[in-house]
Amino acid sequence: MTESKLLVAVIATGGTIASKRDQTGAAKPSLTGEHLLSDISNSDVSLKPIELMATDSSSLTLLDMQTISDAVGKELANPDVAGIVILHGTDAMEESALLVHLQHRLTKPVIFTGAQFTADHPQADGPGNLSAAIEASVDPSNVGKGVLLCFGGRLLPAWGLYKRSTDKTDAFDLASNATCPDSLGFTGSVRNVRVDIVAIYPGCDAAHIDASLKAGADGIVLAALGSGNANKRIVEAIKRCRDGNVPVVVSSRVSEGVLVAGYGGGGGGHDMGAAGAVHSRTLRAGQSRILLAAMIASSKKMAEMIDAFGDFQKMAK
């Protein structure tokens, strides 16, 4: 009697891994998940392609990311599926991966992957990444690690993930070695949540923050200087957000390292915290936006936000 093969659900969403260049030289998602899987040889697994969407991840909305997360949830609930792989564009890979991590209690491995080079590129990296992701998706030791990214020969957790290169096959890294609980279950849908990211730069004013407030933002993330610093005008704008019950999260435009809000002087990280902002210890702006949206959608309180953006240190205790 032969053993049945393990079934892996492969959710195709588009991205570079599914792209080829047209006559103008523009790369566009044009290959289905079934087509991408046709070249994969793994005698130990059966592959179930799910054609969810064919989109460049730079075009994804929170509605699209929620759709991806919902599709993962459906396969998590399917007892026949042993593991899940999501094919995704690299521009927003870290955001969708984090949303899935936040919204689901994993009972099987969930692996994101993609490519830096198109399918018709002479150095196409998609097939190698996909094969490795499938192997990772049937490794039971990966269940307790939360949502993972399999890319460029590495397996990285979703929490703190960021894209560090536009042209290298090993394109991702972690902002710090902080960890996140793998069983959060933020069940609120982010479909109708608006969280804006505002870039902070030397000498900036609060025009963009005020515009976000006027546009009806539910939350705002600041990509601040250094270890989460700005100026006095930004601090005053944070107070306006606080008065309007719009949470503000302060991240850093620096790629790596833990944010420590120690500077004063009227516009430093310490002053922004005193004005009501929440400091994101590890997550950079893109992922901070996802966490804030997920927490707003799940009606989390300010104390819970402070703990979450502080890498759940209280929860860990």
Side-chain angles (χ1 to χ4, degrees), residues 14-15 54 87 89 112 120 122 127 158 169 173 183 208 210 214 237 305:
L87 308 182
F112 275 74
D120 54 355
T169 54
D173 218 325
S183 298
H208 293 106
D210 290 331
K214 186 176 180 180
M305 291 183 183

Side-chain angles (χ1 to χ4, degrees), residues 10-310:
V10 181
I11 301 172
T13 72
T16 301
I17 192 170
S19 295
K20 297 176 72 175
R21 296 193 179 275
D22 62 18
Q23 297 145 336
T24 69
K28 297 178 182 178
S30 56
L31 302 177
T32 64
E34 184 174 8
H35 183 281
L36 293 171
L37 293 177
S38 64
D39 293 330
I40 300 299
S41 176
N42 188 321
S43 59
D44 298 323
V45 301
S46 294
L47 302 174
K48 171 189 173 183
I50 298 169
E51 312 295 349
L52 188 64
M53 61 183 75
T55 308
D56 289 320
S57 66
S58 58
S59 299
L60 293 178
T61 64
L62 284 180
L63 170 59
D64 294 325
M65 292 182 188
Q66 186 63 60
T67 300
I68 293 169
S69 184
D70 291 346
V72 172
K74 182 178 179 180
E75 298 310 315
L76 284 170
N78 185 343
D80 296 329
V81 172
I84 302 167
V85 173
I86 303 96
L87 308 182
H88 198 287
T90 59
D91 284 353
M93 183 100 71
E94 63 223 54
E95 281 96 331
S96 293
L98 182 61
L99 183 63
V100 173
H101 181 89
L102 295 172
Q103 292 188 329
H104 300 286
R105 303 181 188 279
L106 302 191
T107 56
K108 58 194 72 170
V110 174
I111 314 293
F112 275 74
T113 195
Q116 284 283 74
F117 303 119
T118 57
D120 54 355
H121 192 282
Q123 296 176 321
D125 55 328
N129 285 340
L130 177 52
S131 293
I134 290 169
E135 290 184 17
S137 74
V138 293
D139 182 346
S141 69
N142 287 328
V143 176
K145 299 175 184 177
V147 172
L148 298 170
L149 170 71
C150 185
F151 207 96
R154 303 172 72 193
L155 201 59
L156 297 170
W159 188 260
L161 188 68
Y162 74 96
K163 185 177 179 180
R164 63 174 171 80
S165 176
T166 60
D167 58 3
K168 291 182 172 60
T169 54
D170 180 10
F172 289 85
D173 218 325
L174 298 175
S176 84
N177 291 322
T179 58
C180 170
D182 59 5
S183 298
L184 293 171
F186 289 173
T187 56
S189 170
V190 300
R191 293 172 186 270
N192 298 313
V193 178
R194 174 171 180 158
V195 175
D196 291 349
I197 296 176
V198 174
I200 301 300
Y201 52 89
C204 68
D205 60 22
H208 293 106
I209 296 176
D210 290 331
S212 288
L213 288 174
K214 186 176 180 180
D218 300 298
I220 296 172
V221 173
L222 304 181
L225 302 168
S227 193
N229 302 307
N231 58 54
K232 293 180 180 179
R233 286 173 290 189
I234 300 303
V235 170
E236 291 303 314
I238 290 171
K239 293 177 182 177
R240 293 194 290 277
C241 293
R242 177 195 62 197
D243 294 343
N245 294 315
V246 175
V248 176
V249 171
V250 180
S251 182
S252 175
R253 70 178 192 178
V254 180
S255 298
E256 297 181 8
V258 171
L259 187 152
V260 179
Y263 288 94
H270 176 83
D271 302 310
M272 289 197 282
V278 177
H279 293 96
S280 180
R281 187 172 185 269
T282 290
L283 304 187
R284 271 33 190 186
Q287 287 200 326
S288 291
R289 174 176 175 257
I290 296 302
L291 176 56
L292 183 55
M295 299 199 82
I296 291 171
S298 299
S299 302
K300 299 299 182 181
K301 305 300 183 183
M302 181 59 69
E304 295 172 293
M305 291 183 183
I306 292 171
D307 184 36
F309 282 99

